[in-house]
Amino acid sequence: MAAASTEPPRLKQLLERDPYLEPFRTDFQRRYSLFYNHLKNIEESEGGLDKFTKSYKTFGVNQLADGGIYCKEWAPGAEAVFLAGDFNGWNPSSHPYKKLEYGKWELFMPPEDGQSPVPHGSKLKVVIRAQNGALLYRISPWARYVVRDEDKVNYDWVHWNPPQSYIHKNPSPKRLKSLRIYESHVGIASPEGKVASYKNFTYNVLPRIKDLGYNCVQLMAIMEHAYYASFGYQVTSFFAASSRYGTPDDLKEMIDVAHSMGITVLLDVVHSHASKNSEDGLNQFDGTDSCFFHSGYRGNHQLWDSRLFDYANWEVLRFLLSNLRMWIEDYRFDGFRFDGVTSMLYHHHGIGTGFSGDYNEYFGLHVDEDALCYLMLANHMINTLHPECITIAEDVSGMPALCRPVAEGGGGFDYRLAMAIPDKWIQIIKELKDEDWNMGNIVHTLTNRRCEEKYIAYAESHDQALVGDKTLAFRLMDAEMYTNMSVLMPLTPVIDRGIQLHKMIRLITHALGGESYLNFMGNEFGHPEWLDFPRIGNNESYHYARRQFNLTEDDLLRYKFLNAFDRDMNKLEERFGWLASPQAYVSEKHESNKVIAFERAGLIFIFNFHPYQSYVDYRVGIETPGKYKILLDSDAGEYGGHQRLDHNTEYFSEQYPHNYRPNSIMVYIPSRVALVLHNVDIPK
């Protein structure tokens, strides 16, 4: 069907909000037309988006109510398709699929004495007769459970149909106004050098997350990946929850328990590329180099050494959209963080390309509009069928309108990651003396975001925790973390500086940088070691593939101070909701004093980044008159500070304009200290 020219219903609002987009009106019209015509074709050919995205219930191997088995695959390059496994003694030809239109194949197996012909827990393979006559033993792209025996290299497909599956008991939380995200990896969520389990996360980590004041968990590396050290980014089985941590029911229980605590659970979804594995992955499933992927050069990511999806293909859309639907409806995930969105959006995949912010970089032939259309369809489907779900884009390019509704011609995401912020902190710490920190540059980086697109601010994520990089704590304190973090040791200048700046960087990022906040597990207390998965290069060691949560529980170690500050910072946001409030008003960014002051959610935030200069009777401009008191003080003793402030002090406003504010207060602000004040005349 030829694409009709269709304008997004609310494009006018988008262009009024950002007039610089007006020259690209036709690009928005073309993108929306592609989306609209896909949607129309799905309605006409598949019976609607709801039915189309439930294909995970018919494709693969599915149990019928009467005990029979229905199997369906898409293998356009196959000459014949069979099902083999434990159930038929691995006979490669006894159970042939029937060929259907458009490269699809189906097989129906009736029940045997009222029982399933394929028992729960038995191994299976789809057998593909390729065009050259070779028999290829493949795992179904729709397989729901794959496992690997310790003595094997490849994963095996196991039919998952337990007599009693886990039943969710708790409703999903309502959509949160303020997202405080704890980015997590189940396998490393233990102090022990091993692959930790879903059960461990459920009973040992979720309570910690709740106590720290995070209300959202973002789970990485859940979609099955054969190579553990890929951090879950080389997916082999898109519909299978990783078996290295436990069973599908263990994951369902983990999500259910999180919901009982009021914690939203997001899945880190990798639809930007796929593993090159063919024995236990999607690659060459039907014996060709295409099928789910572009053929030839276009189907390979030169840096990631992985396969790239053909987003224009009807069956690829079915596969990926159904994949999202399955994770929401079977496992009860509350949304997704889409990985590698920049790679999807552009034919150059962001390789060797810098983004200056020039709008011409986001429009034109270098944009992969088929991939963008897929993302629009995905967000439209989620928003229509599960409006409580949240979607986040990991896009370094800054594509305009990516986080505006599809009806405006946007990508439909709810949030995007503020990826410039962690890079800025690394650059500052790495390149500048403390005396040379530029307050205006810090504020600009934290506030430079697109109007009415929500950003997730973070000082560091898993990217900065990986071996080859350094966490902020390690950049600040380096080797002294191994020798001088005991309270029994004198507080050295390096440790003192590191602890104070670690707290300040996190609070200013949290309060000024976005409409949501993210932290990678362990970084909240300055985890002393980087993250490195077992691999040949480290003799398959698990020493760095763990999180030493026990360090926060040792009263003799200073990690407890950072942990306590992170908890109280989150609890304060929960109380006042600054992430859901309008962007802050920055009244001061004083270069020589190294002071930043701003107001948000009725609170006053004051940061003195000066390495040694404290200020008595420092005037700070404010909007609302009244009596103010300290709510959070990074210099408090429980946070490893020097206790230079009296928390009983009351600060009375004066009708003395300062820094374009009608009122002001005078405060004592010691060096390397962050303060949060509130107006006690306004109850909260």
Side-chain angles (χ1 to χ4, degrees):
M1 179 184 292
S5 179
T6 307
E7 181 160 296
R10 287 161 37 203
L11 179 60
K12 182 181 177 182
Q13 289 97 309
L14 177 68
L15 300 182
E16 286 175 349
R17 189 181 302 110
D18 188 349
Y20 291 102
L21 290 173
E22 180 62 45
F24 306 101
R25 177 187 286 267
T26 55
D27 293 84
F28 283 106
Q29 291 171 335
R30 186 177 60 254
R31 294 171 180 183
Y32 189 81
S33 292
L34 189 60
F35 159 79
Y36 178 83
N37 282 282
H38 270 310
L39 207 57
K40 187 177 179 183
N41 289 342
I42 289 171
E43 292 290 336
E44 293 174 354
S45 305
E46 297 282 349
L49 192 63
D50 182 30
K51 184 178 178 183
F52 184 62
T53 58
K54 279 183 178 175
S55 294
Y56 69 92
K57 294 189 175 183
T58 53
F59 279 74
V61 172
N62 288 280
Q63 192 79 42
L64 301 177
D66 66 357
I69 292 283
Y70 179 73
C71 311
K72 196 173 189 179
E73 298 293 346
W74 177 61
E79 289 294 316
V81 179
F82 308 88
L83 187 69
D86 294 336
F87 75 98
N88 67 356
W90 292 97
N91 187 321
S93 59
S94 64
H95 288 75
Y97 283 65
K98 175 186 174 184
K99 189 171 186 178
L100 306 174
E101 289 184 304
Y102 309 116
K104 296 172 193 164
W105 304 78
E106 71 173 359
L107 167 65
F108 172 68
M109 301 165 62
E112 297 174 356
D113 299 325
Q115 300 296 316
S116 171
V118 181
H120 166 64
S122 59
K123 293 180 180 179
L124 295 170
K125 280 287 176 73
V126 174
V127 183
I128 303 284
R129 185 192 297 151
Q131 293 171 358
N132 63 4
L135 289 182
L136 308 173
Y137 286 78
R138 298 286 190 247
I139 292 175
S140 169
W142 305 78
R144 306 292 285 277
Y145 189 54
V146 295
V147 299
R148 179 170 61 189
D149 296 332
E150 288 187 11
D151 59 341
K152 289 187 176 181
V153 173
N154 296 319
Y155 275 75
D156 290 315
W157 172 21
V158 173
H159 182 52
W160 183 259
N161 182 40
Q164 182 62 52
S165 290
Y166 184 86
I167 299 173
H168 293 268
K169 305 175 185 66
N170 299 284
S172 298
K174 295 295 182 183
R175 180 185 278 253
L176 298 165
K177 291 181 179 179
S178 294
L179 272 180
R180 299 181 300 275
I181 304 170
Y182 199 76
E183 187 181 39
S184 305
H185 184 291
V186 170
I188 66 167
S190 165
E192 299 178 61
K194 64 178 185 180
V195 178
S197 67
Y198 294 123
K199 291 281 189 184
N200 168 72
F201 200 93
T202 301
Y203 296 107
N204 295 324
V205 184
L206 283 177
R208 171 180 291 274
I209 294 169
K210 178 70 174 176
D211 178 66
L212 282 168
Y214 291 93
N215 57 15
C216 179
V217 176
Q218 181 179 295
L219 293 174
M220 308 177 67
I222 294 297
M223 302 165 80
E224 190 61 271
H225 48 293
Y227 184 42
Y228 190 44
S230 77
F231 216 154
Y233 289 128
Q234 294 276 341
V235 177
T236 44
S237 290
F238 284 75
F239 286 82
S242 182
S243 61
R244 53 171 57 85
Y245 319 128
T247 69
D249 281 352
D250 292 342
L251 175 57
K252 290 177 182 178
E253 180 191 27
M254 188 179 98
I255 294 170
D256 193 34
V257 171
H259 287 168
S260 75
M261 298 178 175
I263 296 174
T264 292
V265 186
L266 305 180
L267 175 67
D268 199 46
V269 68
V270 185
H271 281 182
S272 48
H273 63 130
S275 168
K276 271 191 172 177
N277 287 20
S278 56
E279 293 290 327
D280 52 9
L282 288 187
N283 191 25
Q284 299 181 347
F285 172 67
D286 66 350
T288 71
D289 84 325
S290 53
C291 197
F292 290 94
F293 310 108
H294 291 291
S295 62
Y297 177 82
R298 191 179 173 191
N300 292 279
H301 197 292
Q302 64 187 69
L303 287 186
W304 296 346
D305 193 32
S306 54
R307 298 304 313 273
L308 295 170
F309 288 106
D310 178 2
Y311 300 104
N313 189 294
W314 190 261
E315 294 303 322
V316 172
L317 292 178
R318 181 198 306 278
F319 180 79
L320 295 176
L321 292 172
S322 297
N323 187 234
L324 298 173
R325 188 85 184 270
M326 186 277 296
W327 289 113
I328 294 172
E329 297 189 350
D330 270 22
Y331 286 92
R332 303 286 180 87
F333 278 99
D334 303 303
F336 305 99
R337 180 261 204 185
F338 282 74
D339 177 70
V341 168
T342 305
S343 176
M344 298 173 71
L345 291 176
Y346 307 96
H347 292 298
H348 54 63
H349 307 299
I351 299 172
T353 304
F355 294 94
S356 66
D358 184 331
Y359 276 23
N360 290 289
E361 295 167 348
Y362 308 118
F363 302 95
L365 296 177
H366 52 284
V367 176
D368 188 338
E369 293 190 344
D370 289 322
L372 179 55
C373 178
Y374 160 66
L375 293 171
M376 293 168 73
L377 282 167
N379 283 311
H380 172 76
M381 177 200 74
I382 292 167
N383 190 53
T384 302
L385 300 176
H386 294 281
E388 293 294 322
C389 284
I390 296 163
T391 60
I392 300 166
E394 188 220 19
D395 169 41
V396 73
S397 77
M399 168 76 79
L402 190 64
C403 296
R404 293 305 301 168
V406 172
E408 291 182 9
F413 285 96
D414 296 301
Y415 296 89
R416 67 194 314 156
L417 292 168
M419 301 182 74
I421 295 175
D423 291 343
K424 175 56 64 177
W425 288 123
I426 291 170
Q427 182 225 336
I428 289 171
I429 294 170
K430 193 175 177 181
E431 299 177 7
L432 300 177
K433 296 179 181 177
D434 291 6
E435 294 86 349
D436 297 332
W437 285 27
N438 186 302
M439 301 297 103
N441 189 241
I442 290 171
V443 169
H444 174 75
T445 303
L446 290 169
T447 58
N448 181 28
R449 47 191 186 268
R450 295 196 182 282
C451 178
E452 295 190 33
E453 293 196 47
K454 293 181 180 178
Y455 280 68
I456 296 175
Y458 58 106
E460 53 186 338
S461 69
H462 70 274
D463 287 325
Q464 289 75 42
L466 289 169
V467 68
D469 205 338
K470 286 185 178 181
T471 63
L472 287 180
F474 213 76
R475 286 185 185 279
L476 290 166
M477 296 178 277
D478 210 21
E480 286 203 25
M481 295 188 77
Y482 294 108
T483 57
N484 296 321
M485 284 298 275
S486 170
V487 296
L488 301 178
M489 301 285 292
L491 183 63
T492 67
V494 168
I495 295 297
D496 185 27
R497 172 181 179 266
I499 286 177
Q500 310 318 327
L501 288 178
H502 193 272
K503 293 177 291 187
M504 295 180 73
I505 287 170
R506 282 177 142 60
L507 179 59
I508 197 170
T509 301
H510 202 309
L512 192 59
E515 290 70 40
S516 175
Y517 177 75
L518 178 142
N519 166 68
F520 179 65
M521 63 190 314
N523 286 358
E524 71 275 5
F525 63 85
H527 197 280
E529 292 173 340
W530 55 79
L531 177 61
D532 188 16
F533 288 88
R535 53 189 173 85
I536 294 174
N538 64 12
N539 296 317
E540 303 295 337
S541 171
Y542 284 87
H543 179 74
Y544 296 109
R546 60 193 179 117
R547 296 284 91 178
Q548 299 177 63
F549 295 122
N550 53 298
L551 295 176
T552 66
E553 293 150 15
D554 189 333
D555 208 41
L556 295 179
L557 295 178
R558 293 188 166 102
Y559 297 103
K560 65 180 180 180
F561 299 138
L562 299 179
N563 197 70
F565 183 80
D566 198 77
R567 179 193 62 228
D568 291 351
M569 174 178 68
N570 281 322
K571 294 294 177 69
L572 193 61
E573 196 289 325
E574 183 175 18
R575 181 177 164 193
F576 287 90
W578 62 68
L579 290 170
S581 298
Q583 193 162 326
Y585 182 91
V586 181
S587 61
E588 180 160 347
K589 39 192 174 180
H590 201 295
E591 296 305 336
S592 58
N593 290 345
K594 302 301 175 196
V595 172
I596 295 171
F598 58 88
E599 297 157 271
R600 193 175 186 188
L603 302 176
I604 302 172
F605 295 83
I606 309 168
F607 294 81
N608 179 6
F609 281 99
H610 205 289
Y612 53 83
Q613 185 66 58
S614 299
Y615 303 105
V616 179
D617 291 337
Y618 196 91
R619 188 172 294 279
V620 175
I622 61 171
E623 175 69 22
T624 308
K627 181 173 69 176
Y628 287 80
K629 294 195 72 172
I630 295 171
L631 272 178
L632 187 64
D633 165 22
S634 69
D635 202 42
E638 63 264 36
Y639 309 138
H642 298 285
Q643 306 178 65
R644 287 168 285 180
L645 286 149
D646 181 356
H647 288 204
N648 293 316
T649 303
E650 296 175 337
Y651 304 91
F652 293 92
S653 66
E654 303 174 53
Q655 284 186 311
Y656 187 100
H658 184 69
N659 286 341
Y660 303 100
R661 304 310 266 166
N663 303 284
S664 58
I665 56 174
M666 304 286 276
V667 299
Y668 169 44
I669 178 73
S671 59
R672 286 196 184 126
V673 166
L675 282 181
V676 183
L677 308 179
H678 80 121
N679 191 331
V680 296
D681 295 335
I682 302 174
K684 185 68 177 182

